Amino acid sequence: VEQASSGTMSTLPSSDVRPRYFPVPSPVFKLRFVSRKGAPHVLYCGGGGSSKSGVRNTVVLASLSSEGGEPKFETKASADTGDKLCVSVAADADVDLVAAGMHGGSVVVYGCTAQDELVVLTEGLEADLPTKEDPKGEECAVECMALHGKKLATGGNDGVLRVWALENQAAVLSALQKEGGAKEDVPKLKVGSAVECKGHRGPITDVAFDAAGARVSRPLPRAFPA
């Protein structure tokens, strides 16, 4: 893909269907195509156990461009999640906010500065909790998320859809988008208590807001009873 002068995305000729391979240093658990600053990017997460294997657990934002007719893949920003294995990622419309869902049930929200640096805005949101079937929480994992305006939706193995309010989102975005601003000047993101939507049967594997951000939905289980 490439960025045309008009600001719209253009692609390689449709007759060129050859796969392109871009090696990355760890297994990839979730990947999303996103647009940042009007250009196509890829947001992905993965890892290999960090301290146990030496393969870092990371969240990565990479650009997709075209050079000499060939696609180019370039890492723009990354964050090391330490011993926490990231299994899901989501971003707002401009990739100013990036949410990372962890195995273990927590969520970290990052901000992407104008200089393409990922900074931690909030962490420790408990978005997937132990259940009767998994009392020790060994299977806790935030499998999916969605960001829209001042809302963050999360879903996981406990079958509870949670919607969080991002209370000072406007002030955070203003600091993130400031050219030449220091990442130390970006305020922490204040997140309200989650609204919990219970009654789902089984894990929640995907979640999305409608275009207006007024409704949030998730797919039905494969064997949903009549």
Side-chain angles (χ1 to χ4, degrees):
V1 292
E2 61 181 334
Q3 186 69 20
S5 58
S6 63
T8 59
M9 275 194 301
S10 59
T11 61
L12 294 170
S14 58
S15 58
D16 187 351
V17 294
R18 293 173 297 155
R20 268 63 168 193
Y21 300 97
F22 303 106
V24 294
S26 66
V28 175
F29 289 97
K30 188 77 76 174
L31 180 149
R32 292 183 181 274
F33 288 103
V34 295
S35 178
R36 177 163 171 82
K37 300 176 182 177
H41 284 65
V42 170
L43 177 66
Y44 69 92
C45 64
S50 194
S51 59
K52 294 181 181 179
S53 66
V55 179
R56 295 169 57 214
N57 298 322
T58 56
V59 176
V60 179
L61 177 67
S63 64
L64 287 170
S65 59
S66 181
E67 188 174 279
E70 285 296 317
K72 183 180 178 182
F73 182 90
E74 180 181 2
T75 297
K76 290 295 185 180
S78 65
D80 192 321
T81 61
D83 290 332
K84 296 179 180 179
L85 178 61
C86 184
V87 295
S88 62
V89 286
D92 63 1
D94 299 316
V95 199
D96 291 317
L97 299 180
V98 173
M102 307 297 177
H103 186 274
S106 65
V107 170
V108 178
V109 181
Y110 298 92
C112 193
T113 69
Q115 294 75 38
D116 288 336
E117 295 179 279
L118 290 176
V119 297
V120 176
L121 298 178
T122 188
E123 54 188 331
L125 300 179
E126 295 302 323
D128 194 55
L129 301 177
T131 62
K132 289 182 179 179
E133 295 75 18
D134 178 32
K136 294 183 179 180
E138 296 177 349
E139 299 300 321
C140 284
V142 183
E143 300 288 355
C144 57
M145 295 174 295
L147 277 161
H148 191 292
K150 296 182 179 181
K151 302 184 187 77
L152 166 66
T154 64
N157 289 335
D158 66 359
V160 179
L161 175 66
R162 294 176 173 87
V163 181
W164 314 73
L166 312 181
E167 296 177 348
N168 62 333
Q169 176 238 28
V172 171
L173 292 183
S174 178
L176 287 170
Q177 295 165 356
K178 185 178 180 180
E179 291 289 344
K183 62 182 181 180
E184 293 79 10
D185 295 335
V186 179
K188 293 296 184 181
L189 184 64
K190 298 177 182 177
V191 181
S193 299
V195 175
E196 296 187 343
C197 305
K198 300 181 179 180
H200 304 293
R201 303 180 185 184
I204 298 175
T205 58
D206 201 4
V207 64
F209 285 101
D210 66 4
R215 296 181 180 180
V216 62
S217 61
R218 61 98 189 178
L220 294 176
R222 290 180 182 176
F224 193 82

